[in-house]
Amino acid sequence: MGETESYAVVPTLWGLVGLLGDEKGVRRLTLPLPSIELLEQHLIEDDCLAQLDSDFCQPLQQAIAEYFRARPVDFSPYPVSLNGRSDFTRRVLVACRSIRYGQTTTYGQLAALAGVGKATRAVGRALASNPVPLVIPCHRILRADGSLGGFSAPQGTAFKEKLLQLEKEVLSS
């Protein structure tokens, strides 16, 4: 990188969420963490010159706070930067953005949606490298048998299950 980027800390009911990026979009997002120190450790890479900017992506910050207040949120309008990702990974992540709040699909269905055939394992690997979870809702992708599959965020599949349960409860209320 070597460029100066901005980052913001978003307090939510579930913990602190971090956003990192520039005027082109968010490049990284952390799921809720308990401290700023841990957030900065997960968010800011060694070669990144990042400056705290509480106004960075303010509309997205508000949407994230709303999400964790159990309100349905559409993250699709918010720009993300997928620079440095392979074409395959970009295709998978862009296709994943089309999965709406409260909906789920399978790795195989996402592969078809992304136009990458039956590359379900490779789709799983691409999702594991998702730099902006929530905005790219990889937690909504399940195995063909309906089980959770993997989740690379802290707390793993237990956290994936919490996110899916939150969305299900919001839609059923």
Side-chain angles (χ1 to χ4, degrees), residues 24-70:
K24 296 176 198 157
V26 175
R27 188 172 66 83
R28 291 180 57 88
L29 181 148
T30 68
L31 290 171
L33 294 165
S35 71
I36 289 185
E37 293 79 20
L38 200 53
L39 180 144
E40 289 176 340
Q41 179 183 356
H42 281 83
L43 186 67
I44 303 170
E45 299 153 336
D46 290 339
D47 62 345
C48 175
L49 305 171
Q51 295 181 333
L52 181 62
D53 178 358
S54 60
D55 292 328
F56 176 66
C57 287
Q58 190 64 43
L60 178 55
Q61 289 186 49
Q62 292 169 348
I64 290 168
E66 288 295 301
Y67 180 90
F68 288 107
R69 281 189 200 108

Side-chain angles (χ1 to χ4, degrees), residues 88 106-112 116-127 141 144:
F88 179 90
T106 66
Y107 292 97
Q109 290 167 328
L110 183 61
V116 295
K118 299 180 188 265
T120 58
R121 289 182 193 264
V123 164
R125 285 190 297 276
L127 293 175
I141 312 305

